[in-house]
Amino acid sequence: MNDYLLLTPGPLTTSATVKSAMLKDWCTWDDDYNHDIVESIRKQLVSLATKSEQYTCVLMQGSGTASVESALGSLVTTNDKLLIINNGAYGQRMTEIADYLNIDYHSLNYPETEQPVLQQISDILDTDPSITHVAMVHCETTTGMLNPVQHVGELVKSHNKVFILDAMSSFGGIEFDLAQLHVDVMISSSNKCIQGVPGFGFVVCKQALIVAAKGVARSLSLDLYAQWHCMQTQGGKWRFTSPTHVVRAFYQALLELKEEGGIAARAIRYQENQQLLVKGMRELGFNTLLDDELHSPIITSFYSPEDPGYQFKKFYHALKQQGFVIYPGKVSEADCFRIGNIGHVFEKDIQGLLTAIATCCYWLK
Ligand SMILES: *Cc1c(COP(=O)(O)O)cnc(C)c1O
């Protein structure tokens, strides 16, 4: 069906069966579309995220950022203060959301290639008692960095703050339990590691926090409480037009995640993809931006070759012709490109990519 694979962090390569779940026009209120589908999706997402019974799930139309904005704008009140731990474009985006929403915040900034310093987080939480919420990105898709969520969660918990995690690109691809990580609110979206198509995001959140969020939102369409209340009391109904095709495809993607053996099995596949990729790229003379111990199995940043003949655009098009779409770099201080290994992508695909890179890298010879 595809003439190239997307080796990108979402939208990503989906299976043919996920795509074909969209080949029908669904009516939002008809039983064939079936609100049980939405309720089943909400339940499955909670149980994939935690064993705890304290959490609930809200689906929200839009790209992943809309769900981050919905969560921040609905859970952080005008009397609260947010600490944002920022070491990449998605941490930075949370500061932009806070600016738009007039949320009082402190941004703790780190270079994109460095992890947050726990002692500094602890010091700020000690010295600024007005902070009520802490937000961080799990896998910074900018670089592929995996942030130390367990340690930060313990700090946030010991200071009794609410912990908000953007796990957009990691949820479904890395196993964790929100309760064990002390995460109160987690945000992800349909087109990342669950391997659906883009169109909605979701928030898995302690139910008590959502119940308390009535009337807080600064936006009608992104009111997380109102959306939750509607879904919760009306059998999975979305307040406004739901992305029916996307929801159907996502339901299929969840079935396929289960068939694969759940998140544990998928995490192993992604990890093997990533290790194979890095090993092969190093053999071809490429270097990774990050050290191996900072790395997630989601996406990898490689330094651009130093050869003066190298141009990303040319490299990109040469690979695309051979069936592989890669991603430009997003790091401000270094010239990089990125290769994602999430999605419906397997060992043979990574091997094919490595062969394609070897054949089109005239500057390596
Ligand atoms: C993909 C992603 C987002 C959301 O991006 P959208 O373009 O709005 O879907 C947010 N945070 C992280 C870490 C991501 O990888």
Side-chain angles (χ1 to χ4, degrees), residues 30 34 44 55 79 86 94 129 137 145 169-170 188 191 211 231 244 258 264 277 290 313 325 327 362:
D30 189 272
N34 194 344
Q44 290 185 66
Y55 293 77
N79 298 320
N86 170 17
M94 291 201 277
V137 175
M145 167 97 68
S169 62
S170 56
S188 185
N191 60 289
V211 171
M231 286 185 170
T244 48
K258 199 183 261 175
L277 174 73
L290 298 181
K313 265 214 161 134
V325 164
Y327 223 47
Y362 58 88

Side-chain angles (χ1 to χ4, degrees), residues 140-145 274 287-290 295 299-303 328-331 336-339:
E140 236 319 337
T141 321
T142 316
T143 51
M145 167 97 68
Q274 202 261 349
N287 295 311
T288 57
L289 174 75
L290 298 181
H295 233 291
I299 187 167
T300 310
S301 297
F302 294 95
Y303 283 109
K330 204 173 184 163
V331 180
C336 293
F337 61 89
R338 289 177 292 171
I339 299 178

Side-chain angles (χ1 to χ4, degrees), residues 9-10 62-68 90-91 93 137-142 166-170 187 189 191-192 198:
S63 84
T65 304
S67 285
V68 178
Y90 294 100
R93 191 171 296 173
V137 175
H138 187 202
C139 168
E140 236 319 337
T141 321
T142 316
D166 170 350
M168 203 73 65
S169 62
S170 56
I187 307 136
S189 75
N191 60 289
K192 304 254 170 156

Side-chain angles (χ1 to χ4, degrees), residues 12 14 24 30 40 43 45 70 77 82 94 100 110 112 124 135 174 180 238 244 246 248 271 275 277 305 311 334 349:
L12 38 63
T14 58
K24 175 170 173 166
D30 189 272
S40 166
K43 279 203 196 90
L45 289 175
S70 170
T77 74
L82 178 64
M94 291 201 277
Y100 266 81
Y110 296 95
E112 289 149 328
I124 287 184
I174 298 176
Q180 276 171 18
W238 302 56
T244 48
V246 180
R248 272 287 173 170
Q271 209 152 17
Q275 284 164 359
L277 174 73
Q311 278 176 15
D349 301 314

Side-chain angles (χ1 to χ4, degrees), residues 343-357:
H344 196 67
V345 170
F346 302 87
E347 186 184 331
K348 68 170 182 0
D349 301 314
I350 302 292
Q351 256 146 6
L353 170 77
L354 289 167
T355 306
I357 290 177

Side-chain angles (χ1 to χ4, degrees), residues 65-267:
T65 304
S67 285
V68 178
E69 188 158 355
S70 170
L72 295 182
S74 305
L75 300 171
V76 185
T77 74
T78 46
N79 298 320
D80 292 331
K81 183 168 178 182
L82 178 64
L83 173 65
I84 300 171
I85 299 167
N86 170 17
N87 61 347
Y90 294 100
Q92 183 65 27
R93 191 171 296 173
M94 291 201 277
T95 69
E96 288 164 32
I97 291 171
D99 282 329
Y100 266 81
L101 295 175
N102 276 318
I103 290 173
D104 187 14
Y105 71 95
H106 179 99
S107 173
L108 195 52
N109 300 322
Y110 296 95
E112 289 149 328
T113 51
E114 286 175 27
Q115 290 215 320
V117 180
L118 297 171
Q119 189 59 49
Q120 289 177 346
I121 298 169
S122 171
D123 288 347
I124 287 184
L125 292 174
D126 284 337
T127 53
D128 186 351
S130 65
I131 290 169
T132 50
H133 297 68
V134 178
M136 187 175 78
V137 175
H138 187 202
C139 168
E140 236 319 337
T141 321
T142 316
T143 51
M145 167 97 68
L146 198 59
N147 279 324
V149 61
Q150 177 82 53
H151 295 300
V152 175
E154 279 158 17
L155 277 176
V156 174
K157 165 89 174 176
S158 70
H159 288 80
N160 214 8
K161 313 295 181 192
V162 175
F163 189 23
I164 301 170
L165 188 70
D166 170 350
M168 203 73 65
S169 62
S170 56
F171 178 67
I174 298 176
E175 246 199 328
F176 53 76
D177 185 305
L178 294 182
Q180 276 171 18
L181 297 179
H182 309 295
V183 172
D184 301 293
V185 181
M186 179 204 77
I187 307 136
S188 185
S189 75
S190 57
N191 60 289
K192 304 254 170 156
C193 296
I194 305 290
Q195 297 181 184
V197 301
F200 70 90
F202 49 87
V203 181
V204 178
C205 172
K206 289 229 173 103
Q207 180 151 326
L209 288 174
I210 293 234
V211 171
K214 186 176 181 179
V216 173
R218 286 79 152 173
S219 158
L220 170 72
S221 58
L222 296 180
D223 185 337
L224 196 69
Y225 169 83
Q227 182 91 332
W228 172 78
H229 189 260
C230 186
M231 286 185 170
Q232 190 77 3
T233 59
Q234 296 186 57
K237 186 178 181 307
W238 302 56
R239 283 178 309 151
F240 309 123
T241 300
S242 78
T244 48
H245 299 70
V246 180
V247 171
R248 272 287 173 170
F250 191 76
Y251 183 73
Q252 177 64 27
L254 282 169
L255 289 177
E256 293 176 17
L257 173 60
K258 199 183 261 175
E259 280 167 17
E260 186 173 349
I263 294 177
R266 181 160 295 179

